[in-house]
Amino acid sequence: EDQVTQSPEALRLQEGESSSLNCSYTVSGLRGLFWYRQDPGKGPEFLFTLYSAGEEKEKERLKATLTKKESFLHITAPKPEDSATYLCAVQAYFNKFYFGSGTKLNVKP
Amino acid sequence: DVKVTQSSRYLVKRTGEKVFLECVQDMDHENMFWYRQDPGLGLRLIYFSYDVKMKEKGDIPEGYSVSREKKERFSLILESASTNQTSMYLCASSLARQGLSPGANVLTFGAGSRLTVL
């Protein structure tokens, strides 16, 4: 069964405490893996797309990596403004995206 | 920046009412989608459209219909709202049917419409 699983469901960090979020998938024919950030009461906002195993993307304190079975979103020295829910989505074909349930990140000052 | 605008941020309706959710995108995207988002269930696709007047069912189309009369506008219709349709509804768009560039398949979302059915 095609599915995407994110862990942990929730993560509390102190400001400056680095950590990683996991997105594991069992989707055949991956065409792309997407990371989104969602703030409360808002729609998801695009962060990264990864297309092949070994690929890495960086943006400020965030770095996304991809293997054949999972992706990690590494957060280095997070700040309170990084608090949000991070969603992972795997594209199987042009219109089919499998979404994980998200990891809710809370960064305390 | 691509903008996807959902006309209603919060709605409260009664069981049996007909509900229209409107979505407009301003960057000439081919594809438009309607998702619902519920805690613990992630985003689930209701319908999508890849062209004007074209639509395809997603994973949970029951109780919903859609309309795309113009390229920029995609409407979600609940013919007779029920309490189990209380949810956050998200509209999204993407550039192209065949991924011509790395960014072609990125979904751009609207701010969401939170619907409560009493």
Side-chain angles (χ1 to χ4, degrees):
Chain A
E1 180 186 1
D2 293 328
Q3 64 180 13
V4 175
T5 303
Q6 290 187 248
S7 62
E9 288 186 13
L11 181 62
R12 296 181 66 177
L13 299 174
Q14 287 297 127
E15 184 172 2
E17 180 186 2
S18 300
S19 188
S20 297
L21 282 56
N22 178 261
C23 171
S24 63
Y25 59 92
T26 55
V27 177
S28 55
L30 177 142
R31 294 189 63 179
L33 186 141
F34 300 77
W35 282 98
Y36 292 86
R37 169 190 171 127
Q38 186 174 23
D39 292 301
K42 296 186 178 181
E45 179 182 344
F46 171 71
L47 292 173
F48 303 110
T49 310
L50 301 166
Y51 291 98
S52 57
E55 189 175 359
E56 298 182 352
K57 295 269 181 78
E58 286 190 67
K59 180 180 179 180
E60 297 181 354
R61 294 176 293 282
L62 300 177
K63 179 180 178 180
T65 62
L66 179 65
T67 72
K68 288 187 177 181
K69 293 185 177 181
E70 58 190 350
S71 175
F72 292 93
L73 185 65
H74 307 278
I75 303 176
T76 302
K79 298 181 177 181
E81 53 261 43
D82 295 322
S83 298
T85 296
Y86 291 86
L87 299 174
C88 169
V90 173
Q91 182 185 15
Y93 44 95
F94 86 94
N95 64 312
K96 184 62 177 176
F97 294 84
Y98 294 90
F99 281 87
S101 297
T103 294
K104 187 174 182 180
L105 175 65
N106 186 9
V107 182
K108 295 283 192 180
Chain B
D1 283 352
V2 176
K3 285 188 178 177
V4 177
T5 303
Q6 295 184 231
S7 56
S8 303
R9 292 297 312 276
Y10 301 95
L11 303 94
V12 180
K13 299 292 182 181
R14 298 208 172 271
T15 301
E17 282 192 82
K18 192 169 186 176
V19 181
F20 293 88
L21 299 179
E22 302 285 339
C23 175
V24 177
Q25 50 94 4
D26 66 359
M27 286 299 289
D28 203 33
H29 277 186
E30 301 288 334
N31 306 317
M32 297 189 75
F33 305 77
W34 275 106
Y35 288 90
R36 66 177 280 177
Q37 184 177 32
D38 300 288
L41 296 178
L43 275 73
R44 292 179 291 168
L45 181 64
I46 304 171
Y47 269 97
F48 82 98
S49 169
Y50 54 88
D51 201 351
V52 174
K53 297 189 185 295
M54 304 303 291
K55 60 185 180 184
E56 288 196 20
K57 293 180 180 179
D59 299 315
I60 51 164
E62 297 78 19
Y64 304 95
S65 62
V66 290
S67 171
R68 194 171 182 194
E69 297 295 320
K70 293 184 178 181
K71 189 175 185 179
E72 67 271 18
R73 188 179 299 269
F74 194 35
S75 302
L76 180 69
I77 302 149
L78 287 68
E79 294 290 341
S80 177
S82 62
T83 54
N84 62 12
Q85 292 178 310
T86 292
S87 186
M88 168 72 94
Y89 290 88
L90 291 165
C91 175
S93 69
S94 67
L95 179 61
R97 185 174 185 176
Q98 300 297 328
L100 299 178
S101 69
N105 294 306
V106 171
L107 295 174
T108 299
F109 287 89
S113 297
R114 183 164 293 282
L115 172 66
T116 300
V117 182
L118 302 175

